[in-house]
Amino acid sequence: MKGILKLAVCAIAAVAVLTSCSKTEPEVTVVDRRIVILSSIGGMGDHGYNDLVMSGLLKSYWARGRFDAHMFYLGPETMEEAEDFVERWTGPETKTAKHTLLVMCSSDYRELAEKKLADRDFTSENEVEMLVFEVPELPEPQNGIKAYSFMIPMYGASYDAGVFAAQNGYGKPLVWLADESDALTRKAGEGFSDGYESVTGTAPEWRFLCDDWHGYTMGGEAYAQMEEVSGQNDFIFPVMGGSNMGIYRYLRENPDGPAVVGMDVDQSIYSANVVGNILKHIDVVLQGLIEDWMNGNPIEHYKEYDTQSGHIEWSPVAR
C-alpha cells in the first residue's frame, strides 16, 4: 500500500505539472478528455477503498503506456466541500474540456448525483458524464448529463465470513458498522449475520460508530471503544472505512484482543488478529471503466459485480 501511495503522489505531481497555467499564455486550452476523481470523505491514505481507487487509475496509465487525458484528484473533508466540487466540475470548469467524466467514489454521493441529474437548468457547452460508485441504478437525467453507476454487493462474501467465524468456534461475534444509515454496509452486516446464524442458530451482536458518514473518519473513537468491545466480543466484523485503523491500532497494542476481518484489501499487515479479508477489487473495476471511456466504448447505465464476477471475495489468512 505504501507503494501505491508513493505512486499516487507522483501521479498527482505529474497532473499538477500537466495542468499548470503558463504566465505568458493567458488563453485557456481546451483538452479533449478530462477525468475528475471525487474520493469519498477523507481521500487517500485510508489503507482501503480510496487507495484502491488511485491504484485503478495508475493501472489505467500503465496499461496504456500514457494517459491522454487531464486528471484531477479531489479529496473532500466534508460533504459541503464535496458538493462544491460537484458544482464546480459540472459547471464553468467543463468549458475547458470537450469530454468530462466526474467519478464520484462513494455511495454517500448518491443524493448529490441525483440533485445534479434533476437540474433542468443545467447546460454545458461540452459533454459531461458522471460515474457514481456503489449505488443502485440512477434516475434518468433531466438534462444533458450522461450517468452511470455500479455496485459490488458485499452480502455473499460477508456471508462466507460469517460461516468462517462460526465454524472456527467464535462464540461472541460483533457486526460493527460506521454509519447506521448506510444501507450498503448494513447489507454486508446482514450477510455476516446470516452466515453465522446458519451454522450456530444465533445472531451476532450489532454496534454502530455513528449515524452518518462521519463514522468512516472516526478512527480515534473506534480505538477508544475497543476496550469495551474487547471485553464483550471475540470476533469483529467491521465495515467502517478509515475508522478500522483505530481497531488495528488497538489490537497491535493488545494482541490478546478479538479476531477481526480486514476490509477492501489485505489488512493482515496491520494486525496479526486479522484472520481473513473481504477483498474488493474496485481497482480492476475502475480500470476497466476508465479504459472503456477513454476508448469511446459504451458504458452500461448500471452494472452489478457480485461474487460470481470475481471482483469481491472472502479470503481467510493463512498463518
Side-chain angles (χ1 to χ4, degrees), residues 268-281:
S268 59
I269 190 173
Y270 299 111
S271 170
N273 294 59
V274 174
V275 294
N277 297 279
I278 302 287
L279 300 179
K280 214 170 193 180
H281 305 297

Side-chain angles (χ1 to χ4, degrees), residues 75 134 138 140 151 176 202 211 221 231 239 261 264 282 290 318:
E134 306 287 11
L138 291 165
E140 288 297 324
M151 291 186 69
W176 199 358
T202 59
D211 59 2
E221 180 60 27
V239 192
V261 171
D264 299 329
I282 187 65
I290 291 294

Side-chain angles (χ1 to χ4, degrees), residues 112-120 130 132 138-143 145-147 301:
L112 291 182
E114 291 185 348
K115 178 182 177 181
K116 178 54 63 176
L117 294 175
D119 182 6
R120 295 178 182 271
M130 182 182 293
V132 190
L138 291 165
E140 288 297 324
Q142 302 301 305
N143 44 48
I145 297 175
K146 295 180 181 179
H301 180 59

Side-chain angles (χ1 to χ4, degrees), residues 152-162 184-195 237 278 280 306-307 312:
I152 307 180
M154 295 181 65
Y155 182 91
S158 301
Y159 186 98
D160 293 341
L184 185 68
T185 55
R186 184 179 285 273
K187 196 68 176 177
E190 290 171 357
F192 179 86
S193 183
D194 290 348
F237 181 80
I278 302 287
K280 214 170 193 180
D306 58 16
T307 52
I312 184 169

Side-chain angles (χ1 to χ4, degrees), residues 25-72:
E25 182 55 72
E27 289 81 8
V28 175
T29 300
V30 178
V31 299
D32 184 61
R33 289 184 178 269
R34 173 177 54 207
I35 302 169
V36 182
I37 302 294
L38 181 65
S39 79
S40 58
I41 304 298
M44 284 192 302
D46 65 348
H47 306 276
Y49 205 92
N50 283 322
D51 291 348
L52 280 176
V53 168
M54 181 54 69
S55 175
L57 290 173
L58 294 174
K59 286 178 179 178
S60 298
Y61 172 82
W62 293 327
R64 296 178 73 85
R66 67 190 192 285
F67 213 76
D68 40 5
H70 282 198
M71 183 183 75
F72 296 81

Side-chain angles (χ1 to χ4, degrees), residues 13-279:
V15 169
V17 172
L18 220 147
T19 59
S20 63
C21 297
S22 170
K23 293 181 179 179
T24 59
E25 182 55 72
E27 289 81 8
V28 175
T29 300
V30 178
V31 299
D32 184 61
R33 289 184 178 269
R34 173 177 54 207
I35 302 169
V36 182
I37 302 294
L38 181 65
S39 79
S40 58
I41 304 298
M44 284 192 302
D46 65 348
H47 306 276
Y49 205 92
N50 283 322
D51 291 348
L52 280 176
V53 168
M54 181 54 69
S55 175
L57 290 173
L58 294 174
K59 286 178 179 178
S60 298
Y61 172 82
W62 293 327
R64 296 178 73 85
R66 67 190 192 285
F67 213 76
D68 40 5
H70 282 198
M71 183 183 75
F72 296 81
Y73 184 94
L74 309 171
E77 295 183 359
T78 66
M79 194 60 69
E80 291 74 22
E81 191 173 27
E83 185 170 9
D84 287 342
F85 284 149
V86 171
E87 288 302 314
R88 176 183 179 186
W89 293 99
T90 57
E93 294 295 332
T94 58
K95 295 179 181 180
T96 59
K98 294 179 182 179
H99 305 276
T100 295
L101 178 65
L102 176 61
V103 184
M104 304 171 72
C105 306
S106 172
S107 60
D108 289 326
Y109 296 145
R110 180 183 176 88
E111 186 175 339
L112 291 182
E114 291 185 348
K115 178 182 177 181
K116 178 54 63 176
L117 294 175
D119 182 6
R120 295 178 182 271
D121 296 326
F122 171 81
T123 58
S124 175
E125 297 176 9
N126 301 293
E127 185 177 72
V128 177
E129 299 174 74
M130 182 182 293
L131 172 64
V132 190
F133 285 19
E134 306 287 11
V135 300
E137 188 169 358
L138 291 165
E140 288 297 324
Q142 302 301 305
N143 44 48
I145 297 175
K146 295 180 181 179
Y148 321 107
S149 65
F150 68 86
M151 291 186 69
I152 307 180
M154 295 181 65
Y155 182 91
S158 301
Y159 186 98
D160 293 341
V163 170
F164 172 90
Q167 292 179 341
N168 283 273
Y170 294 102
K172 297 180 179 180
L174 172 69
V175 173
W176 199 358
L177 306 184
D179 177 3
E180 189 171 5
S181 67
D182 190 333
L184 185 68
T185 55
R186 184 179 285 273
K187 196 68 176 177
E190 290 171 357
F192 179 86
S193 183
D194 290 348
Y196 185 84
E197 192 169 357
S198 71
V199 177
T200 66
T202 59
E205 177 188 346
W206 285 57
R207 188 184 189 104
F208 301 95
L209 193 59
C210 195
D211 59 2
D212 63 18
W213 60 266
H214 289 91
Y216 295 104
T217 61
M218 297 170 59
E221 180 60 27
Y223 175 85
Q225 293 186 25
M226 273 298 292
E227 188 69 31
E228 178 183 355
V229 168
S230 293
Q232 299 175 350
N233 305 101
D234 60 358
F235 192 100
I236 306 173
F237 181 80
V239 192
M240 299 196 295
S243 296
N244 283 354
M245 297 308 293
I247 296 176
Y248 305 143
R249 174 190 165 197
Y250 179 90
L251 292 175
R252 286 194 298 272
E253 298 170 359
N254 301 273
D256 293 333
V260 64
V261 171
M263 291 291 164
D264 299 329
V265 300
D266 184 356
Q267 303 281 7
S268 59
I269 190 173
Y270 299 111
S271 170
N273 294 59
V274 174
V275 294
N277 297 279
I278 302 287
L279 300 179

